[in-house]
Amino acid sequence: MEEIEKQITQLSPEELKKFSAWFDDYLSDEWDRQIQRDVTAGKFDALVAQLDANFEAGLCKPL
């Protein structure tokens, strides 16, 4: 980590801007990958089942 931090501090303003944009995209993509892993692992199954049950019971209102 220290080496990465050192390299980042040595970037020019333009390089830092490009790195920042790349890193923002990377984090966004990683968030999407984590959500997909969680879905695949069934981590949301109970929540989805509860939402379906609420909908079927008429507990939901149209937006």
Side-chain angles (χ1 to χ4, degrees):
M1 272 307 295
E2 289 178 19
E3 182 61 30
I4 293 169
E5 291 172 0
K6 180 181 176 185
Q7 292 295 321
I8 291 171
T9 63
Q10 294 175 357
L11 295 174
S12 70
E14 183 61 31
E15 291 170 325
L16 186 57
K17 183 177 177 181
K18 288 179 182 179
F19 172 76
S20 180
W22 171 85
F23 195 62
D24 284 344
D25 288 342
Y26 174 81
L27 289 176
S28 177
D29 291 344
E30 181 56 28
W31 173 263
D32 292 342
R33 288 187 293 272
Q34 182 62 53
I35 293 294
Q36 186 58 50
R37 287 190 296 268
D38 290 347
V39 167
T40 301
K43 290 186 176 183
F44 300 114
D45 290 353
L47 177 62
V48 170
Q50 183 62 50
L51 292 171
D52 284 343
N54 288 348
F55 180 79
E56 293 298 324
L59 300 175
C60 299
K61 296 179 183 178
L63 294 176

